[in-house]
Coordinates of all heavy atoms in Angstrom, one line a residue:
M9 N 108.6 71.4 121.3 CA 107.3 70.8 121.9 C 107.3 69.3 121.8 O 107.4 68.8 120.7 CB 106.1 71.5 121.2 CG 104.8 71.0 121.8 SD 103.5 72.0 121.1 CE 102.5 70.7 120.4
N10 N 107.2 68.6 122.8 CA 107.2 67.2 122.8 C 105.7 66.7 122.7 O 104.9 67.2 123.4 CB 107.8 66.6 124.1 CG 109.3 66.9 124.1 OD1 110.0 66.9 123.1 ND2 109.8 67.0 125.3
P11 N 105.5 65.7 121.8 CA 104.1 65.2 121.7 C 103.7 64.4 123.0 O 104.5 63.8 123.6 CB 104.1 64.3 120.5 CG 105.5 64.0 120.3 CD 106.3 65.1 120.9
T12 N 102.4 64.5 123.4 CA 101.9 63.8 124.5 C 101.7 62.3 124.1 O 101.7 62.0 122.9 CB 100.6 64.4 125.0 OG1 99.6 64.2 124.0 CG2 100.8 65.8 125.4
D13 N 101.5 61.5 125.1 CA 101.1 60.1 124.8 C 99.8 60.0 123.9 O 99.7 59.2 123.0 CB 100.9 59.3 126.0 CG 102.3 59.0 126.7 OD1 103.3 59.1 126.1 OD2 102.2 58.6 127.9
A14 N 98.9 60.8 124.3 CA 97.6 60.8 123.5 C 97.8 61.2 122.1 O 97.3 60.6 121.1 CB 96.6 61.8 124.2
E15 N 98.7 62.2 121.8 CA 99.0 62.6 120.4 C 99.7 61.5 119.7 O 99.4 61.2 118.5 CB 99.8 63.9 120.4 CG 99.0 65.1 120.9 CD 99.9 66.3 121.2 OE1 101.1 66.1 121.2 OE2 99.3 67.3 121.5
L16 N 100.6 60.8 120.3 CA 101.3 59.7 119.7 C 100.4 58.5 119.4 O 100.5 57.9 118.3 CB 102.5 59.2 120.6 CG 103.6 60.2 120.7 CD1 104.6 59.7 121.8 CD2 104.3 60.5 119.4
W17 N 99.5 58.2 120.3 CA 98.5 57.2 120.0 C 97.6 57.6 118.8 O 97.3 56.8 118.0 CB 97.6 56.9 121.2 CG 98.3 55.9 122.1 CD1 98.9 56.1 123.3 CD2 98.4 54.5 121.9 NE1 99.4 54.9 123.8 CE2 99.0 53.9 122.9 CE3 97.9 53.6 120.8 CZ2 99.3 52.5 123.0 CZ3 98.2 52.3 120.9 CH2 98.9 51.7 122.0
A18 N 97.2 58.9 118.8 CA 96.3 59.3 117.7 C 97.1 59.2 116.4 O 96.5 58.8 115.3 CB 95.9 60.8 117.9
A19 N 98.4 59.5 116.4 CA 99.2 59.4 115.1 C 99.3 58.0 114.7 O 99.2 57.6 113.5 CB 100.5 60.1 115.3
G20 N 99.6 57.1 115.7 CA 99.8 55.7 115.4 C 98.5 55.0 114.8 O 98.5 54.3 113.8
L21 N 97.4 55.3 115.5 CA 96.1 54.8 115.0 C 95.8 55.4 113.6 O 95.3 54.7 112.7 CB 95.0 55.1 116.0 CG 95.0 54.3 117.3 CD1 94.0 54.8 118.2 CD2 94.8 52.8 116.9
G22 N 96.1 56.7 113.5 CA 95.8 57.3 112.2 C 96.5 56.7 111.0 O 96.0 56.6 109.9
F23 N 97.7 56.2 111.3 CA 98.5 55.6 110.2 C 97.9 54.3 109.7 O 97.9 53.9 108.6 CB 100.0 55.4 110.6 CG 100.8 54.9 109.5 CD1 101.3 55.7 108.5 CD2 101.1 53.5 109.4 CE1 102.0 55.3 107.4 CE2 101.9 53.0 108.3 CZ 102.3 53.9 107.4
V24 N 97.4 53.5 110.7 CA 96.9 52.2 110.3 C 95.4 52.2 110.0 O 94.9 51.1 109.5 CB 97.2 51.1 111.4 CG1 98.6 51.0 111.6 CG2 96.5 51.5 112.7
L25 N 94.7 53.3 110.1 CA 93.2 53.3 109.9 C 92.8 53.4 108.5 O 91.6 53.0 108.2 CB 92.6 54.4 110.7 CG 92.3 54.1 112.2 CD1 91.8 55.3 112.9 CD2 91.4 52.9 112.3
P26 N 93.5 53.9 107.5 CA 93.0 54.0 106.1 C 92.5 52.7 105.6 O 91.4 52.7 104.9 CB 94.1 54.6 105.3 CG 94.8 55.5 106.3 CD 94.8 54.7 107.6
P27 N 93.1 51.5 105.8 CA 92.5 50.3 105.3 C 91.2 49.9 106.0 O 90.3 49.4 105.4 CB 93.5 49.2 105.6 CG 94.8 49.9 105.7 CD 94.5 51.3 106.3
V28 N 91.1 50.3 107.3 CA 89.8 50.0 108.0 C 88.7 51.0 107.5 O 87.6 50.5 107.3 CB 90.0 50.2 109.5 CG1 88.8 50.1 110.3 CG2 91.1 49.3 110.0
I29 N 89.1 52.2 107.2 CA 88.1 53.2 106.6 C 87.7 52.7 105.3 O 86.5 52.8 104.9 CB 88.7 54.6 106.6 CG1 88.9 55.1 108.0 CG2 87.9 55.5 105.8 CD1 89.7 56.4 108.1
A30 N 88.6 52.1 104.5 CA 88.3 51.6 103.2 C 87.2 50.5 103.2 O 86.5 50.3 102.2 CB 89.5 51.2 102.5
I31 N 87.1 49.8 104.3 CA 86.1 48.7 104.4 C 84.7 49.3 104.3 O 83.8 48.8 103.7 CB 86.3 47.9 105.7 CG1 87.6 47.1 105.6 CG2 85.1 47.0 106.0 CD1 88.0 46.4 106.9
V32 N 84.6 50.5 104.9 CA 83.2 51.1 105.0 C 83.0 52.0 103.7 O 81.9 52.0 103.2 CB 83.1 52.0 106.3 CG1 81.8 52.7 106.3 CG2 83.3 51.1 107.5
N33 N 84.0 52.7 103.3 CA 83.9 53.6 102.1 C 83.4 52.8 100.9 O 83.8 51.6 100.7 CB 85.2 54.2 101.7 CG 85.5 55.5 102.6 OD1 84.6 56.0 103.2 ND2 86.7 55.9 102.5
Q34 N 82.6 53.4 100.1 CA 82.1 52.8 98.8 C 82.6 53.6 97.6 O 82.7 54.8 97.7 CB 80.6 52.8 98.8 CG 80.0 52.0 100.0 CD 80.2 50.6 99.9 OE1 79.8 49.9 98.9 NE2 80.8 50.0 100.9
P35 N 83.0 52.9 96.5 CA 83.5 53.5 95.4 C 82.6 54.6 94.8 O 83.0 55.6 94.2 CB 83.8 52.4 94.4 CG 83.9 51.2 95.2 CD 83.0 51.4 96.4
R36 N 81.3 54.4 95.0 CA 80.3 55.3 94.4 C 80.1 56.6 95.2 O 79.5 57.5 94.8 CB 79.0 54.6 94.2 CG 78.3 54.2 95.5 CD 77.0 53.4 95.2 NE 76.4 53.0 96.4 CZ 76.8 51.9 97.1 NH1 77.8 51.1 96.7 NH2 76.2 51.5 98.2
W37 N 80.7 56.6 96.4 CA 80.6 57.8 97.3 C 81.4 59.0 96.7 O 82.5 58.7 96.1 CB 81.0 57.6 98.7 CG 80.1 56.7 99.5 CD1 79.0 56.1 99.1 CD2 80.4 56.2 100.8 NE1 78.4 55.4 100.1 CE2 79.3 55.4 101.2 CE3 81.4 56.5 101.7 CZ2 79.2 54.8 102.4 CZ3 81.3 55.9 103.0 CH2 80.2 55.1 103.3
S38 N 80.9 60.2 96.8 CA 81.7 61.3 96.3 C 82.9 61.6 97.3 O 82.9 61.1 98.4 CB 80.8 62.6 96.3 OG 80.4 62.9 97.6
G39 N 83.8 62.4 96.8 CA 85.0 62.7 97.6 C 84.6 63.4 98.9 O 85.2 63.1 99.9
P40 N 83.7 64.4 98.9 CA 83.3 65.1 100.1 C 82.7 64.1 101.2 O 82.9 64.3 102.4 CB 82.3 66.1 99.7 CG 82.7 66.5 98.3 CD 83.1 65.1 97.7
V41 N 81.9 63.1 100.7 CA 81.3 62.2 101.6 C 82.4 61.3 102.3 O 82.4 61.1 103.5 CB 80.3 61.3 100.9 CG1 79.8 60.2 101.8 CG2 79.1 62.1 100.5
K42 N 83.4 60.9 101.5 CA 84.5 60.1 102.0 C 85.3 60.9 103.0 O 85.8 60.4 104.0 CB 85.4 59.6 100.9 CG 84.8 58.5 100.0 CD 85.7 58.1 98.9 CE 85.0 57.1 98.0 NZ 86.0 56.6 97.0
A43 N 85.5 62.2 102.7 CA 86.2 63.1 103.6 C 85.5 63.3 104.9 O 86.1 63.3 106.0 CB 86.5 64.5 102.9
L44 N 84.2 63.5 104.8 CA 83.4 63.6 106.1 C 83.5 62.4 106.9 O 83.6 62.4 108.1 CB 82.0 64.0 105.7 CG 81.7 65.4 105.3 CD1 80.3 65.6 104.8 CD2 82.0 66.4 106.4
F45 N 83.5 61.2 106.3 CA 83.6 59.9 107.0 C 85.0 59.9 107.7 O 85.1 59.5 108.9 CB 83.3 58.7 106.1 CG 83.4 57.4 106.9 CD1 82.4 57.1 107.8 CD2 84.5 56.6 106.7 CE1 82.5 55.9 108.5 CE2 84.6 55.4 107.4 CZ 83.6 55.1 108.4
M46 N 86.0 60.2 107.0 CA 87.4 60.2 107.5 C 87.4 61.2 108.7 O 88.0 60.9 109.8 CB 88.4 60.6 106.5 CG 89.8 60.6 106.9 SD 90.5 62.0 107.8 CE 90.4 63.3 106.6
L47 N 86.8 62.4 108.6 CA 86.8 63.3 109.7 C 86.0 62.8 110.9 O 86.4 63.0 112.1 CB 86.3 64.7 109.3 CG 87.2 65.5 108.3 CD1 86.5 66.7 107.8 CD2 88.5 65.8 109.0
A48 N 85.0 62.1 110.7 CA 84.2 61.4 111.8 C 85.1 60.4 112.5 O 85.1 60.3 113.7 CB 82.9 60.8 111.2
V49 N 85.8 59.6 111.7 CA 86.7 58.6 112.3 C 87.8 59.3 113.1 O 88.2 58.9 114.2 CB 87.3 57.7 111.2 CG1 88.4 56.8 111.8 CG2 86.3 56.8 110.6
A50 N 88.4 60.4 112.6 CA 89.4 61.2 113.3 C 88.9 61.7 114.6 O 89.6 61.8 115.6 CB 90.0 62.3 112.4
T51 N 87.6 62.2 114.5 CA 87.0 62.7 115.8 C 86.9 61.6 116.8 O 87.3 61.8 118.0 CB 85.6 63.3 115.4 OG1 85.8 64.3 114.5 CG2 84.9 63.8 116.7
V52 N 86.5 60.4 116.4 CA 86.4 59.3 117.4 C 87.8 58.9 117.9 O 87.9 58.7 119.1 CB 85.7 58.1 116.7 CG1 85.7 56.9 117.6 CG2 84.2 58.5 116.4
V53 N 88.8 58.9 117.0 CA 90.1 58.6 117.5 C 90.6 59.6 118.4 O 91.2 59.3 119.5 CB 91.1 58.4 116.2 CG1 92.5 58.4 116.7 CG2 90.7 57.2 115.4
G54 N 90.4 60.9 118.1 CA 90.9 62.0 119.0 C 90.2 61.9 120.4 O 90.9 62.0 121.4
L55 N 88.9 61.7 120.4 CA 88.2 61.6 121.6 C 88.7 60.4 122.5 O 88.9 60.5 123.7 CB 86.7 61.5 121.4 CG 86.0 62.7 120.9 CD1 84.6 62.4 120.5 CD2 85.9 63.8 122.0
G56 N 88.8 59.3 121.8 CA 89.2 58.0 122.5 C 90.7 58.1 123.0 O 90.9 57.7 124.2
T57 N 91.6 58.6 122.2 CA 93.0 58.7 122.7 C 93.1 59.7 123.8 O 93.8 59.4 124.8 CB 94.0 59.0 121.5 OG1 93.6 60.2 120.9 CG2 94.0 57.9 120.5
A58 N 92.4 60.8 123.7 CA 92.5 61.8 124.8 C 91.9 61.2 126.1 O 92.4 61.3 127.2 CB 91.8 63.1 124.4
Y59 N 90.7 60.5 126.0 CA 90.0 60.0 127.1 C 90.9 58.9 127.8 O 91.1 58.9 129.0 CB 88.7 59.4 126.7 CG 88.0 58.7 127.8 CD1 87.3 59.5 128.8 CD2 87.9 57.3 128.0 CE1 86.6 58.8 129.8 CE2 87.3 56.7 129.0 CZ 86.6 57.5 129.9 OH 86.0 56.9 131.0
F60 N 91.4 57.9 127.0 CA 92.1 56.8 127.6 C 93.5 57.2 128.1 O 94.1 56.4 128.8 CB 92.2 55.6 126.6 CG 90.9 54.9 126.4 CD1 90.2 55.0 125.2 CD2 90.3 54.2 127.5 CE1 89.0 54.4 125.1 CE2 89.1 53.6 127.3 CZ 88.4 53.6 126.1
N61 N 94.0 58.4 127.7 CA 95.3 58.8 128.3 C 95.1 59.9 129.3 O 96.1 60.5 129.8 CB 96.1 59.4 127.1 CG 96.8 58.3 126.3 OD1 97.7 57.7 126.7 ND2 96.2 58.0 125.1
G62 N 93.9 60.1 129.8 CA 93.6 61.0 130.9 C 93.7 62.5 130.6 O 93.9 63.3 131.5
D63 N 93.7 62.8 129.3 CA 93.8 64.2 128.8 C 92.5 64.7 128.3 O 92.4 65.5 127.3 CB 94.9 64.3 127.8 CG 96.3 64.4 128.3 OD1 96.4 64.7 129.5 OD2 97.2 64.1 127.5
F64 N 91.3 64.3 128.9 CA 90.0 64.6 128.3 C 89.6 66.0 128.7 O 88.7 66.2 129.5 CB 89.0 63.6 128.7 CG 87.8 63.5 127.8 CD1 88.0 63.0 126.5 CD2 86.6 63.9 128.2 CE1 86.9 62.8 125.7 CE2 85.5 63.8 127.3 CZ 85.7 63.3 126.1
T65 N 90.3 67.0 128.1 CA 89.9 68.4 128.3 C 90.0 69.1 127.0 O 90.5 68.5 126.0 CB 90.9 69.1 129.3 OG1 92.2 69.0 128.9 CG2 90.8 68.5 130.7
G66 N 89.7 70.3 126.9 CA 89.5 71.1 125.6 C 90.7 70.9 124.6 O 90.5 70.3 123.6
K67 N 91.8 71.5 124.9 CA 92.9 71.6 123.9 C 93.5 70.2 123.6 O 93.7 69.9 122.4 CB 94.0 72.5 124.5 CG 95.1 72.7 123.5 CD 96.2 73.6 124.0 CE 97.3 73.7 123.0 NZ 98.4 74.5 123.5
P68 N 93.7 69.3 124.5 CA 94.2 67.9 124.1 C 93.3 67.2 123.2 O 93.7 66.4 122.3 CB 94.4 67.2 125.5 CG 94.7 68.3 126.4 CD 93.8 69.4 126.0
I69 N 92.0 67.3 123.4 CA 91.0 66.6 122.6 C 91.1 67.1 121.2 O 91.2 66.3 120.2 CB 89.6 66.8 123.1 CG1 89.4 66.1 124.5 CG2 88.6 66.2 122.1 CD1 88.1 66.4 125.1
V70 N 91.1 68.4 121.0 CA 91.2 69.0 119.7 C 92.5 68.7 119.0 O 92.5 68.3 117.8 CB 91.0 70.6 119.7 CG1 91.2 71.2 118.4 CG2 89.6 70.9 120.2
T71 N 93.6 68.7 119.8 CA 94.9 68.4 119.2 C 94.9 66.9 118.7 O 95.4 66.7 117.6 CB 96.0 68.6 120.2 OG1 95.9 70.0 120.7 CG2 97.4 68.4 119.7
C72 N 94.4 66.0 119.5 CA 94.4 64.6 119.1 C 93.5 64.4 117.9 O 93.9 63.6 117.0 CB 93.9 63.8 120.2 SG 95.0 63.6 121.6
M73 N 92.4 65.1 117.8 CA 91.5 65.0 116.6 C 92.3 65.5 115.3 O 92.2 64.9 114.3 CB 90.3 65.8 116.7 CG 89.3 65.3 117.7 SD 87.8 66.4 117.7 CE 87.1 65.9 119.2
L74 N 93.0 66.6 115.5 CA 93.7 67.2 114.3 C 94.9 66.3 113.9 O 95.1 66.1 112.7 CB 94.2 68.6 114.7 CG 93.1 69.7 114.8 CD1 93.7 71.0 115.3 CD2 92.4 69.9 113.5
V75 N 95.6 65.8 114.9 CA 96.7 64.9 114.6 C 96.2 63.7 113.9 O 96.7 63.3 112.8 CB 97.4 64.5 115.9 CG1 98.4 63.3 115.7 CG2 98.2 65.6 116.5
A76 N 95.1 63.1 114.3 CA 94.5 61.9 113.7 C 94.1 62.2 112.3 O 94.4 61.5 111.3 CB 93.3 61.4 114.5
A77 N 93.4 63.4 112.0 CA 93.0 63.7 110.7 C 94.1 63.9 109.7 O 94.1 63.4 108.6 CB 92.1 65.0 110.8
V78 N 95.2 64.6 110.2 CA 96.3 64.9 109.3 C 97.0 63.6 109.0 O 97.4 63.3 107.8 CB 97.3 65.9 110.0 CG1 98.6 66.0 109.2 CG2 96.6 67.3 110.0
V79 N 97.2 62.7 110.0 CA 98.0 61.5 109.8 C 97.2 60.5 108.9 O 97.7 59.9 108.0 CB 98.4 60.8 111.1 CG1 99.0 59.4 110.9 CG2 99.4 61.7 111.8
I80 N 95.8 60.4 109.1 CA 95.0 59.6 108.3 C 95.1 60.0 106.8 O 95.3 59.2 105.9 CB 93.5 59.6 108.7 CG1 93.4 58.8 110.1 CG2 92.6 58.9 107.7 CD1 92.0 59.0 110.7
G81 N 94.9 61.3 106.6 CA 95.0 61.8 105.2 C 96.4 61.6 104.6 O 96.5 61.2 103.4
T82 N 97.4 61.9 105.3 CA 98.8 61.8 104.8 C 99.1 60.3 104.5 O 99.7 60.0 103.5 CB 99.8 62.4 105.8 OG1 99.5 63.8 106.0 CG2 101.2 62.3 105.2
A83 N 98.8 59.4 105.4 CA 99.1 58.0 105.2 C 98.3 57.5 104.1 O 98.8 56.7 103.3 CB 98.7 57.2 106.5
Y84 N 97.0 57.9 103.9 CA 96.3 57.4 102.8 C 96.9 57.8 101.5 O 97.0 57.0 100.5 CB 94.8 57.9 102.9 CG 94.0 57.5 101.7 CD1 93.5 56.2 101.6 CD2 93.7 58.4 100.6 CE1 92.7 55.8 100.5 CE2 93.0 58.0 99.5 CZ 92.5 56.7 99.5 OH 91.8 56.3 98.4
H85 N 97.2 59.1 101.3 CA 97.7 59.6 100.1 C 99.2 59.3 99.8 O 99.6 59.3 98.6 CB 97.5 61.1 100.0 CG 96.1 61.5 99.9 ND1 95.4 61.3 98.7 CD2 95.2 62.1 100.7 CE1 94.2 61.8 98.8 NE2 94.0 62.2 100.1
T86 N 100.0 58.9 100.8 CA 101.4 58.6 100.5 C 101.7 57.1 100.6 O 102.7 56.7 100.0 CB 102.3 59.3 101.5 OG1 102.0 58.9 102.9 CG2 102.2 60.8 101.4
V87 N 100.9 56.3 101.3 CA 101.2 54.9 101.4 C 100.0 54.0 100.9 O 100.3 53.2 100.0 CB 101.5 54.5 102.9 CG1 101.7 53.0 103.1 CG2 102.6 55.3 103.4
W88 N 98.8 54.2 101.5 CA 97.8 53.2 101.2 C 97.1 53.3 99.8 O 96.8 52.3 99.2 CB 96.7 53.3 102.3 CG 97.2 53.0 103.7 CD1 97.5 53.9 104.6 CD2 97.7 51.8 104.2 NE1 98.0 53.3 105.7 CE2 98.1 52.0 105.5 CE3 97.7 50.5 103.7 CZ2 98.6 50.9 106.3 CZ3 98.1 49.4 104.5 CH2 98.6 49.7 105.8
R89 N 97.0 54.5 99.3 CA 96.4 54.6 97.9 C 97.4 54.3 96.9 O 97.1 53.5 96.0 CB 95.8 56.0 97.7 CG 95.1 56.1 96.4 CD 94.5 57.5 96.1 NE 95.5 58.5 96.0 CZ 95.2 59.8 95.7 NH1 94.0 60.1 95.6 NH2 96.2 60.6 95.6
P90 N 98.7 54.8 96.9 CA 99.6 54.4 95.9 C 99.9 52.9 95.8 O 100.2 52.4 94.7 CB 100.9 55.2 96.2 CG 100.4 56.4 97.0 CD 99.2 55.9 97.8
S91 N 99.9 52.3 97.0 CA 100.2 50.8 97.0 C 99.0 50.0 96.4 O 99.1 48.9 96.1 CB 100.5 50.4 98.4 OG 99.3 50.5 99.2
G92 N 97.8 50.7 96.3 CA 96.6 50.0 95.8 C 95.9 49.2 96.9 O 94.8 48.6 96.6
I93 N 96.4 49.2 98.1 CA 95.7 48.4 99.2 C 94.4 49.0 99.6 O 93.4 48.3 99.6 CB 96.7 48.3 100.4 CG1 97.9 47.5 100.1 CG2 95.9 47.7 101.6 CD1 99.0 47.6 101.1
A94 N 94.3 50.3 99.9 CA 93.0 50.9 100.3 C 92.0 50.8 99.2 O 90.8 50.4 99.4 CB 93.2 52.3 100.8
P95 N 92.4 51.3 97.9 CA 91.4 51.2 96.9 C 90.9 49.7 96.6 O 89.7 49.5 96.3 CB 92.1 51.7 95.6 CG 93.1 52.6 96.2 CD 93.5 52.0 97.5
G96 N 91.8 48.8 96.7 CA 91.4 47.4 96.6 C 90.5 46.9 97.6 O 89.5 46.2 97.3
I97 N 90.7 47.3 98.9 CA 89.8 46.9 99.9 C 88.4 47.6 99.7 O 87.4 46.9 99.8 CB 90.3 47.3 101.3 CG1 91.6 46.5 101.6 CG2 89.3 47.2 102.4 CD1 92.3 47.0 102.9
E98 N 88.4 48.8 99.3 CA 87.2 49.6 99.0 C 86.4 48.9 97.9 O 85.2 48.7 98.0 CB 87.6 51.0 98.6 CG 86.4 51.9 98.6 CD 86.9 53.4 98.3 OE1 87.6 53.9 99.1 OE2 86.4 53.9 97.3
A99 N 87.0 48.5 96.8 CA 86.3 47.8 95.7 C 85.8 46.4 96.2 O 84.8 46.0 95.8 CB 87.3 47.7 94.5
A100 N 86.7 45.7 96.9 CA 86.3 44.4 97.4 C 85.1 44.4 98.3 O 84.4 43.4 98.4 CB 87.5 43.7 98.0
T101 N 85.0 45.4 99.1 CA 83.9 45.4 100.1 C 82.7 46.3 99.7 O 81.8 46.6 100.5 CB 84.4 46.0 101.5 OG1 85.0 47.3 101.3 CG2 85.5 45.0 102.0
S102 N 82.7 46.7 98.4 CA 81.6 47.5 97.9 C 80.3 46.7 97.9 O 80.2 45.5 97.7 CB 81.9 47.8 96.4 OG 80.8 48.5 95.9
T103 N 79.2 47.4 98.3 CA 77.9 46.7 98.4 C 77.2 46.7 97.1 O 76.0 46.4 97.0 CB 77.0 47.4 99.4 OG1 76.9 48.8 99.1 CG2 77.6 47.3 100.8
G104 N 77.8 47.0 96.0 CA 77.2 47.0 94.7 C 77.2 48.3 94.0 O 77.2 49.4 94.7
G105 N 77.3 48.3 92.7 CA 77.3 49.5 92.0 C 78.7 50.1 92.0 O 79.6 49.7 92.7
T106 N 78.8 51.1 91.1 CA 80.1 51.8 91.0 C 79.8 53.3 91.1 O 78.7 53.7 91.1 CB 80.8 51.5 89.7 OG1 79.9 51.9 88.6 CG2 81.2 50.0 89.5
K107 N 80.9 54.0 91.1 CA 80.7 55.5 91.1 C 79.9 55.9 89.9 O 80.1 55.5 88.8 CB 82.1 56.2 91.2 CG 82.0 57.6 91.5 CD 83.4 58.2 91.7 CE 83.3 59.6 92.1 NZ 84.6 60.2 92.4
D108 N 78.9 56.8 90.2 CA 78.0 57.2 89.1 C 78.8 57.9 88.0 O 79.7 58.8 88.3 CB 76.9 58.2 89.7 CG 76.0 57.5 90.6 OD1 75.8 56.3 90.4 OD2 75.4 58.2 91.4
P109 N 78.6 57.6 86.8 CA 79.2 58.3 85.7 C 78.8 59.8 85.6 O 77.7 60.1 86.2 CB 78.9 57.5 84.4 CG 77.6 56.9 84.8 CD 77.6 56.6 86.3
A110 N 79.5 60.6 84.9 CA 79.1 62.0 84.7 C 77.7 62.0 84.1 O 77.5 61.3 83.1 CB 80.2 62.7 83.9
P111 N 76.9 62.9 84.5 CA 75.6 63.0 83.9 C 75.6 63.5 82.5 O 76.5 64.3 82.1 CB 74.8 64.0 84.8 CG 75.9 64.8 85.5 CD 77.1 63.9 85.6
A112 N 74.8 62.9 81.6 CA 74.7 63.3 80.2 C 74.2 64.7 80.1 O 73.3 65.1 80.8 CB 73.9 62.3 79.4
A113 N 74.7 65.4 79.1 CA 74.3 66.8 78.9 C 73.0 66.9 78.1 O 72.6 66.1 77.4 CB 75.4 67.7 78.3

């Protein structure tokens, strides 16, 4: 199966988006909130790449969203987080405060 142009664009954008996502993410946000934001970005990328490549129908849209989500997550965990780039951006663009410490018992 050969990837479509829309899927390739979704993958390419997904690879470079973790630092952009880190600008919005805050260190005090929980993991699920950060994951939901990443999925929202992947949805927008999937919709946009499918639309601008003329594949704006059911299956290509979903495929582009899934490709973007997988590539964003993989790129973040294999390149951007280990290098310290994404966490550094996240800390530098924090609006104040840090991640809440564990509640006292």
Side-chain angles (χ1 to χ4, degrees):
M9 180 171 124
N10 294 328
T12 64
D13 286 346
E15 292 167 352
L16 292 173
W17 273 104
L21 287 172
F23 185 80
V24 299
L25 279 176
V28 177
I29 293 170
I31 292 171
V32 177
N33 277 347
Q34 299 294 301
R36 65 184 177 279
W37 289 0
S38 67
V41 172
K42 290 179 181 183
L44 286 173
F45 182 70
M46 183 275 296
L47 289 174
V49 171
T51 300
V52 171
V53 168
L55 289 169
T57 56
Y59 177 78
F60 287 112
N61 282 283
D63 281 340
F64 203 69
T65 58
K67 185 178 176 183
I69 294 171
V70 173
T71 304
C72 288
M73 287 181 198
L74 291 174
V75 166
V78 168
V79 172
I80 289 170
T82 302
Y84 177 77
H85 288 289
T86 60
V87 176
W88 299 107
R89 185 175 69 175
S91 69
I93 294 171
I97 292 171
E98 193 174 299
T101 59
S102 176
T103 58
T106 59
K107 190 172 186 174
D108 292 335

